Amino acid sequence: MDSIRIEGGARLEGSVRISGAKNAALPILCTALLADGEHSFRNVPELRDIRTMAQMLRHLGLDVDVQESTVAVRGRPVAEPVAPYEHVKKMRASVLVLGPLVARYGRASVSLPGGCAIGARPIDQHLKGLQAMGADIEIKHGYVDVSVPKGRLLGAEIHFDLTTVTGTENLMSAAVLAKGRTILTNAAREPEVEELARVLNKMGANVRGAGTDVIVIEGVDSLHPVDHAVIPDRIEAGTYLAAAAATRGDVRLEGVSFDYLEAVAAKFRAAGVHVEREGDGIRAGCDRSPRPTDVTTAPYPAFPTDMQAQFMALMCLAEGQCRITETIFENRFMHVPELNRMGANIQVNGRTATIQGVRKLQGAQVMATDLRASASLVIAGLVASGTTELRRVYHLDRGYERIEKKLSGLGATVERIPGDA
Ligand code: EPZ
């Protein structure tokens, strides 16, 4: 397994292009299951998770050709709508094939994603919605078997008990080919949900209200293939924003909309970081120790859970004490012990971490545990004195395209150390 070695101390300066959004591209690739023919998806990030989804779609019988950031998919009828354990275990977002498969074929069998490092992450809301639309659900041998006795899903009114991003995406994708109208209430409002609706409507669907908590879908009989360029990744952008701030640098993020980062920008500004729109990008810099700033994660448009670990890395060097509360996942503080090994002073009590700022962090050998925790350790390594070696970099590769190249381009001393298999 590869590792990444960072020599701390460099100020990040210059510009970096933000890649396409992983969490938009994943559900969008699954739309190819809804319509036969030639789909073209552009500005797709070159990530491990994208390759995993491509493998899943190939397993289902689609032709998938990944050429850098363009993914060409030839949709065709799926003989066996089954998503097996060996694929789903690699990436829980594979569950996003469920809605399209049931919509198109009236049946599907998908391995239950199981828990992951950051939490139990059940899919009860996904299944509740499909049941409301006329599907029978059976869970056995670690698989969820879905079948629609009437052959075609029926539109329904579905209220989510809690806000779920992929739950909203799965049911929106299921509803586009259902008979009649579906109304999703308490739906997720994330930009990636809105982007998926944009793609579905380009394919001939009728989805209104995406981006709000009420989404209305009028089912249609069929859809056609699509050509689409994916929106930029707001979490990758926020990660580089945090790295620029932590290193007291001055960085321009290319090709990313400020609009999706309002809550994130507000917290960075409160911490004393300069964050401004600049053309089609964002300019971010900091020339002081950050001010301690409390954060509580919540569904969009609030401060995103996927930025919690990265912001915490910045707060390790703040001029005082602050608190970060994680309300979405039950175990998303695994970066804390590793940050403390680097000299941070963080105490966790249930869902709240209390960070007492310190003057310096020390480089250390640290272990990545999940995607965003890994990013937080990279940020800490960039400002630590000495060398930081981050192991199990495959976690990072799931969500950050060529991170060592992008950071080196900003002046960081970062290199990838090829590991054993
Ligand atoms: C999406 O995961 C993202 N992944 C996650 O990003 C992100 O952290 C999360 O949304 C929250 O914003 C993708 O979009 C591929 P949820 P998702 O369903 O949809 C509970 C990253 O770093 N829940 O919104 O799986 C669940 O346990 C990843 O890129 C149920 O209880 O998250 C969690 O506590 C990590 N029942 C909360 O809701 C359900 O049926 C939010 O989960 C569904 C969810």
Side-chain angles (χ1 to χ4, degrees), residues 22-23 121-125 164-166 306 328-329 372:
K22 165 177 83 83
N23 290 350
R121 301 180 75 178
I123 59 167
D124 56 294
Q125 299 295 307
T164 161
V165 174
T166 50
D306 291 349
I328 305 291
F329 292 109
R372 307 305 175 181

Side-chain angles (χ1 to χ4, degrees), residues 282-331:
I282 295 173
R283 183 76 175 267
C286 191
D287 48 17
R288 48 161 296 153
S289 294
R291 280 194 284 269
T293 305
D294 292 350
V295 159
T296 297
T297 66
Y300 193 87
F303 191 94
T305 175
D306 291 349
M307 273 299 300
Q308 178 257 108
Q310 299 92 306
F311 194 79
M312 187 183 290
L314 176 65
M315 289 294 103
C316 289
L317 297 165
E319 294 170 334
Q321 185 180 96
C322 67
R323 284 176 184 70
I324 293 181
T325 300
E326 170 58 56
T327 69
I328 305 291
F329 292 109
E330 59 267 33
N331 186 32

Side-chain angles (χ1 to χ4, degrees), residues 91-323:
M91 178 183 66
R92 58 177 301 101
S94 308
V95 75
L96 284 164
V97 302
L98 184 60
L101 288 174
V102 178
R104 184 88 186 276
Y105 303 101
R107 64 191 177 94
S109 179
V110 175
S111 168
L112 281 167
C116 86
I118 62 178
R121 301 180 75 178
I123 59 167
D124 56 294
Q125 299 295 307
H126 304 230
L127 303 181
K128 176 187 120 173
L130 290 172
Q131 276 175 318
M133 296 173 77
D136 291 339
I137 307 280
E138 197 179 357
I139 293 180
K140 57 184 182 187
H141 308 304
Y143 279 74
V144 57
D145 294 335
V146 184
S147 59
V148 184
K150 293 190 184 318
R152 184 180 182 186
L153 290 171
L154 296 176
E157 296 202 14
I158 299 164
H159 181 82
F160 289 101
D161 299 332
L162 48 82
T163 308
T164 161
V165 174
T166 50
T168 301
E169 292 166 343
N170 243 337
L171 292 173
M172 196 160 70
S173 301
V176 293
L177 290 178
K179 182 174 173 49
R181 168 178 295 181
T182 298
I183 302 176
L184 305 179
T185 54
N186 196 22
R189 298 156 62 183
E190 271 67 7
E192 293 75 28
V193 172
E194 203 174 350
E195 175 76 346
L196 175 61
R198 223 172 269 128
V199 170
L200 291 169
N201 285 336
K202 281 172 83 168
M203 295 172 70
N206 182 341
V207 181
R208 285 173 287 119
T212 76
D213 60 354
V214 178
I215 303 176
V216 181
I217 304 110
E218 303 292 350
V220 296
D221 294 333
S222 66
L223 297 171
H224 53 75
V226 68
D227 172 65
H228 186 79
V230 175
I231 55 170
D233 194 315
R234 61 193 170 99
I235 303 301
E236 184 195 26
T239 303
Y240 284 101
L241 208 166
T247 60
R248 302 199 191 178
D250 178 7
V251 169
R252 177 174 156 71
L253 309 177
E254 307 277 353
V256 60
S257 160
F258 192 99
D259 301 347
Y260 296 145
L261 282 161
E262 297 280 4
V264 171
K267 286 299 179 182
F268 277 104
R269 285 173 171 163
V273 181
H274 309 295
V275 186
E276 307 304 335
R277 295 169 197 271
E278 190 177 84
D280 77 337
I282 295 173
R283 183 76 175 267
C286 191
D287 48 17
R288 48 161 296 153
S289 294
R291 280 194 284 269
T293 305
D294 292 350
V295 159
T296 297
T297 66
Y300 193 87
F303 191 94
T305 175
D306 291 349
M307 273 299 300
Q308 178 257 108
Q310 299 92 306
F311 194 79
M312 187 183 290
L314 176 65
M315 289 294 103
C316 289
L317 297 165
E319 294 170 334
Q321 185 180 96
C322 67
R323 284 176 184 70

